[in-house]
Amino acid sequence: QQLVLLGGVDYERFGSTESFLIALDIGGSPFGTPDGVLDVVIGYPASTSTGDMFPCDLTPPAADDREHDIRCFGLYYYSGRSLARPQFEFQWLDNDPRGVLPHPTVDHNPSPSAAAPHLEWTIRQF
């Protein structure tokens, strides 16, 4: 209710440009410690991939309207150097040379509601 009163719009299923994500710095230093550069992101992207087309873009209705929602949930590379606007930094690579993508993930509550508002994700074989 408050969101609507403030002029906002709540798109269901994280549609349109809504996004929720967690970005991880896995590390890249010789000692395997974080290096200050985000490596991967898990969540719902807000727009098209900065690399190859998301696999979810190949299935209707996203193939027709390029609207991203919970169908695009997954693990992706983080393509930006900046922390600004991370929802637009999801990157998919076909034939990933590093062998990270595709990577198995699970969205345990793909339809959050007032009764079940939590988000719970698993990155398998991490």
Side-chain angles (χ1 to χ4, degrees):
Q1 283 288 26
Q2 287 182 331
L3 180 64
V4 173
L5 292 174
L6 294 172
V9 178
D10 184 17
Y11 297 99
E12 71 179 277
R13 300 168 46 96
F14 287 92
S16 189
T17 56
E18 282 193 341
S19 177
F20 197 90
L21 63 100
I22 297 173
L24 303 171
D25 175 1
I26 296 173
S29 74
F31 305 105
T33 56
D35 58 4
V37 177
L38 297 174
D39 299 298
V40 294
V41 58
I42 184 173
Y44 312 113
S47 68
T48 57
S49 171
T50 60
D52 296 318
M53 189 179 292
F54 290 137
C56 64
D57 284 338
L58 303 175
T59 58
D64 298 326
D65 60 17
R66 297 285 185 263
E67 184 167 304
H68 299 90
D69 63 12
I70 61 172
R71 291 168 296 148
C72 293
F73 168 78
L75 183 77
Y76 301 96
Y77 285 114
Y78 187 85
S79 67
R81 293 285 178 203
S82 169
L83 300 180
R85 300 171 45 99
Q87 69 272 30
F88 299 108
E89 300 296 343
F90 287 63
Q91 183 180 57
W92 177 262
L93 298 175
D94 291 333
N95 305 312
D96 178 16
R98 293 176 270 186
V100 174
L101 303 175
H103 198 90
T105 55
V106 179
D107 186 346
H108 295 279
N109 185 22
S111 297
S113 65
H118 63 282
L119 298 175
E120 183 180 344
W121 302 328
T122 300
I123 302 173
R124 296 187 186 253
Q125 304 162 1
F126 191 66

